[in-house]
Amino acid sequence: MAEPEFTATGVRIGKRLRSLTRAGQVRINDGRVELLTSYGSEIDSAPVQAVRASKPWFGPHDKALADINGNRYLLTLGEQDPAPGEPGPPAARRFIDAVRQAARRGG
């Protein structure tokens, strides 16, 4: 099994006004975007070409929107990448760029 193209842990994942997990995971692996709980259970996943990732119009820089299977998820990542060797989620901008690059490569 190949290494995931993007992995973020400690991500708050919400849907509308409801929080689904406060320490979830976001992965781009084998051409799919996966949202997982802190226990590794799948919340949602879809082929990377079917996922739309963007920044909210208003709000802090640590948030990203992901449209997966007709559901809009609000992901709270980090405002900036953590220092090397430090724990914490990567920047929201890095997630958005990873989705777009994986879609361009065709998965």
Side-chain angles (χ1 to χ4, degrees):
M1 187 162 141
E3 280 293 309
E5 298 169 37
F6 176 87
T7 302
T9 57
V11 178
R12 179 181 291 252
I13 301 172
K15 184 176 173 185
R16 297 193 185 259
L17 297 176
R18 195 176 101 188
S19 177
L20 301 175
T21 183
R22 293 187 300 174
Q25 301 174 42
V26 177
R27 286 193 311 207
I28 300 175
N29 190 23
D30 292 332
R32 293 186 69 77
V33 175
E34 302 168 332
L35 303 181
L36 307 169
T37 66
S38 56
Y39 299 108
S41 300
E42 184 176 293
I43 295 170
D44 209 344
S45 71
V48 73
Q49 294 89 350
V51 174
R52 213 174 81 213
S54 61
K55 294 280 294 165
W57 281 18
F58 300 103
H61 296 290
D62 64 345
K63 300 206 183 303
L65 295 172
D67 291 325
I68 301 173
N69 295 325
N71 298 310
R72 177 169 285 180
Y73 296 96
L74 180 63
L75 310 175
T76 305
L77 294 119
E79 283 196 33
Q80 55 191 4
D81 288 329
E86 293 293 316
R93 169 65 37 211
R94 204 170 105 202
F95 165 71
I96 295 166
D97 292 342
V99 170
R100 291 178 180 164
Q101 287 174 1
R104 267 188 248 122
R105 282 194 303 269

